[in-house]
């Protein structure tokens, strides 16, 4: 009343705990790999870039796309890696002083090549070495004066809109959960905690000092003023400078000439297994990076079948220029493996083509093929994980799994809208994955599902009934729909029809139950920005290791390796050292299993959540939730 703080209240509220979560489409905070919103913005940019690339090729035009990023070039850089970009302007890597002459020459070559168009991406904060802004209209004028047909597209605030991607939804849930834990620790201990942020680092949620993160972020502006651009790139993260170099290699148009005393490498490639979005991005990146260094790539059509029938071709950079935006596998993938019956024919083909190494893109079929080659290897063999199931041991992620995950989440969004519109409807949705529950768990978390059933944690009849009772409670308390995600092999007994019938029986007159099998649409669509960038990163890592490994005189089973992301590192693991269950075609360790309990916690009905229990009072198996562990 007197605008004075009562002494008792002052003592009770003597401090304020602060825990931050960073939401920024620019991804411009130091100390975090990704901020909430950046992946969604990338989807908007890459979708627009794909559309513009099509019309640019039809009219032999050059398009300049301006994207957001006033002080950070992340969006522009990843977009350039993900698409057929010829030049990218970002604040952290300004062009050399003669950039005007260089870009005119390069864009003329692009327009006159079989590519027939040019594509330039400019971050809104791009500048030259002296700090002078570089704007889209400025570049357009320069190219137009040199006889080129140029158009400018400023994407603007469309980059902030639209439905969030599966990655951003999952990231937001993980960060929110960790922020709540940190805050509750401070409340329960009664001790003031230092201001901090929770962020994603090396695929792990970590806590960072707030002021330290802000200090490092602000220091990048000082780097710009001091023209210390290398330091600015280092502050953006260890991989930022490598991505800058990668974007330059991916813009090559022709195979470069080698010195007379240098041997041209011939890299063999085959796709073994089911098609996965991003495979085309991987072969395109490998072809372009090899061409940048004067080497060639020979690709087998139809995977191992092409080795046997000698169906192959040497790909040129121009030929696969637009492949990054196309889903599936253009050269053909086959589930035929390299085995004891055809390995001699495969080795004969390698020798006939004088291959220096072999790169296999694929899932578990590629793993078994690599195991066969360990016994007869004559050249280095690289396995690049590419499967929507994300079941390749030795890597946290596979090319294609992010695209498939987004396809599932978009489909579930449509089903949720139908379920909510018709009131009190529960859907049991069957997703792919084989014996790996990655897609079920991540799509369940991203789509707000009530439960996810996976092979790694078999469900029993009591648990199915518990979940049905929880859904019933939610609907009685005002929720208009229920979503259950089920992996296709989650149980040999409780299949989709059984689970649907059980929910219908328990729901009685409370809700109506329907089932939906998503099927092969999960293998479709053009690859997501994440899968395109991952494929390019894998291709770059493989090429660098090829150059190092070929200095050896002899090759052993240790030179048959799988490339994978493990935490903060991209590592090569000998295939014979992989920890896996070969009959079930799955790795033995899965980082994403730790996310499954979060699905149930976030799906709890309000009354059950307030009671700090995992189950509902009506559940006969849990004594009203008393036999379940408390929700953390």
């Amino acid at each position: 009343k007197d605008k004075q703080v009562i002494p008792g209240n002052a003592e009770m509220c003597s401090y304020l705990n602060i825990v931050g979560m960073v939401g920024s489409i620019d991804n411009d905070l130091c100390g975090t790999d990704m901020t909430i919103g950046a992946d969604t913005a990338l989807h908007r940019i890459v979708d627009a870039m794909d559309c513009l690339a099509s019309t640019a090729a039809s009219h032999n035009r050059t398009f300049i796309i301006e994207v957001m990023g006033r002080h950070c070039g992340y969006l522009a850089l990843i977009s350039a890696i993900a698409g057929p970009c010829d030049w990218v302007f970002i604040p952290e890597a300004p062009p050399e002083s003669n950039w005007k002459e260089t870009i005119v020459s390069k864009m003329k070559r692009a327009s006159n090549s079989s590519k027939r168009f040019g594509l330039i991406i400019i971050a809104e904060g791009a500048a030259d070495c002296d700090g002078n802004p570089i704007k889209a209209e400025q570049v357009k004028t320069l190219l137009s004066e040199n006889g080129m047909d140029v158009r400018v597209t400023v994407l603007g605030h469309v980059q902030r809109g639209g439905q969030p991607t599966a990655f951003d939804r999952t990231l937001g849930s993980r960060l929110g959960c960790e922020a709540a834990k940190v805050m509750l620790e401070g409340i329960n201990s009664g001790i003031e905690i230092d201001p901090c942020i929770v962020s994603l680092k090396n695929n792990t949620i970590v806590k960072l000092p707030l002021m330290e993160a802000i200090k490092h972020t602000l220091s990048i502006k000082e780097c710009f003023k001091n023209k210390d651009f290398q330091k600015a790139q280092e502050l953006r993260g260890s991989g930022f400078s490598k991505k800058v170099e990668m974007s330059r290699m991916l813009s090559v148009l022709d195979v470069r000439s080698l010195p007379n005393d240098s041997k041209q490498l011939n890299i063999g490639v085959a796709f073994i297994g089911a098609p996965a979005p991003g495979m085309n991005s991987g072969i395109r990146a490998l072809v372009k990076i090899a061409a940048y260094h004067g080497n060639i790539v020979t690709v087998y059509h139809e995977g191992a079948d092409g080795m046997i029938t000698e169906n192959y071709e040497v790909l040129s950079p121009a030929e696969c220029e637009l492949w990054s935006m196309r889903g599936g596998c253009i050269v053909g993938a086959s589930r035929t493996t390299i085995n004891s019956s055809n390995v001699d024919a495969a080795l004969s083909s390698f020798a006939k083509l004088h291959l220096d190494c072999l790169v296999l893109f694929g899932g578990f079929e590629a793993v078994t093929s690599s195991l066969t080659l360990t016994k007869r290897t004559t050249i280095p063999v690289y396995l690049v994980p590419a499967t929507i199931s994300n079941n390749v041991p030795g890597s946290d992620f596979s090319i294609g799994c992010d695209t498939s995950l987004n396809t599932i989440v978009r489909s579930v969004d449509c089903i949720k809208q139908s379920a909510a519109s018709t009131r009190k409807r529960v859907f049991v949705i069957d997703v792919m994955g084989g014996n790996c529950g990655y897609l079920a768990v991540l799509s369940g978390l991203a789509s707000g599902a009530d439960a996810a059933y996976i092979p790694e944690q078999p469900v029993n009849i009591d648990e199915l009934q518990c979940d049905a009772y929880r859904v019933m409670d939610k609907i009685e308390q005002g929720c208009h729909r229920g979503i259950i995600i089920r992996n296709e092999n989650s149980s040999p007994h409780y299949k989709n029809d059984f689970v649907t019938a059980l929910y219908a029986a328990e729901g009685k007159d409370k809700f109506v139950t329907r089932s939906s099998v998503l099927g092969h649409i999960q293998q479709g669509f053009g690859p997501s920005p994440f899968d395109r960038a991952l494929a390019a990163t894998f291709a770059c890592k493989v090429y660098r290791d090829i150059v190092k490994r070929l200095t050896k005189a002899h090759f052993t089973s240790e030179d048959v390796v799988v490339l994978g992301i493990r935490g903060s590192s991209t590592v090569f693991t000998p295939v014979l050292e992989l920890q896996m269950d070969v009959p079930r075609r799955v790795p033995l360790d899965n980082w994403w299993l730790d996310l499954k309990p979060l699905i149930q916690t976030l799906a709890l009905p309000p009354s059950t959540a307030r009671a700090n229990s995992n189950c509902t009072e009506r559940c006969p198996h849990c004594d009203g939730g008393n036999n379940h562990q408390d929700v953390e």
Side-chain angles (χ1 to χ4, degrees):
K1 185 177 180 179
D2 300 325
K3 296 185 179 180
Q4 297 294 318
V5 178
I6 300 173
N9 289 347
E11 184 179 347
M12 188 169 55
C13 306
S14 59
Y15 59 86
L16 179 66
N17 286 333
I18 299 175
V19 181
M21 296 184 293
V22 185
S24 166
I25 69 166
D26 292 343
N27 195 31
D28 54 355
L29 185 81
C30 292
T32 180
D33 294 338
M34 284 289 282
T35 56
I36 300 171
D39 187 67
T40 301
L42 274 174
H43 274 248
R44 303 294 166 266
I45 296 169
V46 170
D47 286 347
M49 179 177 63
D50 289 350
C51 295
L52 291 173
S54 301
T55 185
S58 301
H59 297 283
N60 198 355
R61 283 177 177 157
T62 294
F63 266 89
I64 302 172
I65 305 174
E66 182 181 296
V67 303
M68 288 185 170
R70 194 167 301 161
H71 305 295
C72 178
Y74 176 83
L75 292 178
L77 180 59
I78 301 302
S79 300
I81 292 172
C85 181
D86 299 289
W87 197 288
V88 59
F89 292 95
I90 59 174
E92 295 87 349
E96 298 178 356
S97 56
N98 65 336
W99 68 269
K100 293 183 179 180
E101 294 81 5
T102 305
I103 195 172
V104 168
S105 174
K106 184 165 188 174
M107 300 316 296
K108 282 185 175 180
R109 290 202 313 273
S111 296
N112 295 328
S113 69
S114 57
K115 178 182 176 182
R116 296 189 70 250
F117 73 95
L119 188 63
I120 300 170
I121 298 179
I122 301 181
E124 60 179 335
D128 61 21
C129 292
D130 297 319
N132 300 311
I134 298 177
K135 297 298 182 183
E137 288 297 331
Q138 174 188 355
V139 178
K140 176 187 176 182
T141 300
L142 172 66
L143 298 179
S144 298
E145 289 174 350
N146 283 272
M148 282 174 262
D149 188 7
V150 186
R151 298 289 188 275
V152 172
T153 298
V154 180
L155 295 185
H157 284 80
V158 70
Q159 297 162 83
R160 295 186 184 274
Q163 294 288 338
T165 62
F167 181 89
D168 276 332
R169 299 186 198 194
T170 304
L171 179 60
S173 297
R174 295 175 68 185
L175 292 180
C177 178
E178 187 64 25
K181 286 183 180 180
V182 174
M183 190 64 74
L184 288 172
E185 286 173 5
I187 294 173
N188 294 334
S189 64
I191 301 173
E192 182 179 5
I193 61 175
D194 294 329
C196 64
I197 59 170
V198 288
S199 65
L200 183 71
K201 194 71 175 175
N202 306 329
N203 199 31
T204 303
I205 305 300
V206 298
K207 184 173 67 172
L208 301 173
L210 175 61
M211 298 313 297
E212 181 180 323
I214 293 175
K215 178 182 177 182
H216 287 158
T217 303
L218 293 176
S219 65
I220 292 180
K221 293 183 181 180
E222 292 300 317
C223 292
F224 292 162
K225 291 180 181 178
N226 299 330
K227 300 182 180 181
D228 190 353
F229 301 107
Q230 188 60 42
K231 179 66 174 177
Q233 292 180 27
E234 291 173 3
L235 287 170
R236 289 292 182 211
S238 58
F240 195 91
S241 59
K242 294 178 182 178
K243 287 182 173 64
V244 172
E245 180 187 1
M246 191 193 310
S247 69
R248 292 168 181 159
M249 290 190 288
L250 293 178
S251 67
V252 69
L253 295 172
D254 303 297
V255 178
R256 291 188 171 185
S257 300
L258 287 170
N260 294 331
D261 58 343
S262 298
K263 175 184 178 296
Q264 187 179 59
L265 300 181
N266 186 4
I267 302 170
V269 175
F271 297 87
I272 298 181
M279 283 182 165
N280 297 322
S281 301
I283 184 63
R284 170 185 176 270
L286 189 57
V287 168
K288 281 181 162 284
I289 292 169
Y292 183 86
H293 294 91
N295 300 306
I296 61 172
V297 171
T298 300
V299 62
Y300 286 102
H301 290 270
E302 308 300 334
D305 292 331
M307 299 177 187
I308 300 168
T309 60
E310 296 189 356
N311 183 9
Y312 58 83
E313 69 171 312
V314 177
L315 289 177
S316 67
E319 186 178 0
C320 53
E321 183 63 54
L322 294 176
W323 285 16
S324 62
M325 65 181 70
R326 294 179 61 180
C329 182
I330 293 174
V331 299
S334 171
R335 289 187 179 273
T336 303
T337 62
I338 301 174
N339 51 58
S340 57
S341 66
N342 60 21
V343 65
D344 289 329
L347 293 173
S348 175
S349 178
F350 303 161
K352 181 178 180 180
L353 295 175
H354 303 289
L355 297 183
D356 294 287
C357 63
L358 177 68
V359 181
L360 301 178
F361 287 82
F364 220 86
E365 291 87 354
V367 174
T368 57
S369 297
S370 299
L371 287 171
T372 301
L373 290 172
T374 58
K375 305 170 185 176
R376 303 282 301 277
T377 183
T378 55
I379 56 176
V381 178
Y382 295 86
L383 168 57
V384 178
T387 168
I388 67 169
S389 300
N390 197 28
N391 65 332
V392 175
S395 184
D396 293 343
F397 296 99
S398 298
I399 297 169
C401 65
D402 183 72
T403 305
S404 181
L405 187 58
N406 277 284
T407 302
I408 294 170
V409 171
R410 280 195 297 266
S411 300
V412 174
D413 283 350
C414 296
I415 292 172
K416 283 162 60 177
Q417 189 176 57
S418 171
S421 299
T422 50
R423 300 296 180 118
K424 300 180 180 180
R425 182 171 282 187
V426 175
F427 272 87
V428 179
I429 303 171
D430 186 283
V431 301
M432 285 182 169
N435 290 322
C436 179
Y438 172 85
L439 291 177
V441 170
L442 271 292
S443 63
L445 183 58
S447 61
D450 297 284
Y453 303 137
I454 59 175
E456 291 84 353
Q457 297 175 356
V459 67
N460 59 44
I461 192 70
D462 292 346
E463 292 169 324
L464 287 172
Q465 284 186 298
C466 287
D467 292 337
Y469 288 131
R470 274 195 294 267
V471 172
M472 193 183 305
D473 271 7
K474 284 184 66 174
I475 289 178
E476 286 183 345
Q477 295 171 39
C479 183
H480 298 309
R481 52 84 183 158
I483 297 293
I484 308 298
I485 305 292
R486 179 190 173 276
N487 169 275
E488 58 186 345
N489 291 342
S490 60
S491 171
H493 309 292
Y494 308 131
K495 296 186 179 296
N496 208 55
D497 290 342
F498 179 91
V499 175
T500 303
L502 184 144
Y503 272 81
E506 297 298 336
K508 298 181 177 68
D509 59 339
K510 302 296 182 183
F511 56 78
V512 177
T513 309
R514 295 287 185 270
S515 68
S516 177
V517 179
L518 297 187
H520 283 78
I521 65 167
Q522 296 163 81
Q523 289 183 349
F525 282 103
S528 67
F530 179 92
D531 279 332
R532 300 187 195 192
L534 181 62
T537 300
F538 278 168
C540 189
K541 291 285 185 179
V542 164
Y543 181 83
R544 287 172 176 158
D545 192 79
I546 288 171
V547 174
K548 293 179 182 178
R549 203 175 292 263
L550 287 179
T551 58
K552 296 172 61 175
H554 303 284
F555 305 107
T556 67
S557 61
E558 294 291 310
D559 296 301
V560 181
V561 297
V562 59
L563 170 61
I565 295 177
R566 303 296 278 180
S568 61
S569 305
T570 306
V571 297
F572 292 92
T573 306
V575 173
L576 292 177
E577 296 179 10
L578 294 176
Q579 302 296 311
M580 56 184 168
D581 184 339
V582 175
R584 297 188 65 248
R585 299 160 53 94
V586 291
L588 295 181
D589 59 325
N590 295 294
W591 64 270
W592 45 266
L593 280 176
D594 293 336
L595 302 180
K596 189 173 181 291
L598 186 56
I599 298 175
Q600 183 173 308
T601 301
L602 296 179
L604 289 174
S607 61
T608 307
R610 284 193 293 269
N612 198 34
S613 169
N614 270 0
C615 202
T616 171
E617 292 182 359
R618 60 162 40 106
C619 180
H621 308 289
C622 308
D623 188 21
N626 294 327
N627 292 340
H628 272 267
Q629 294 181 348
D630 287 342
V631 180
E632 183 174 355

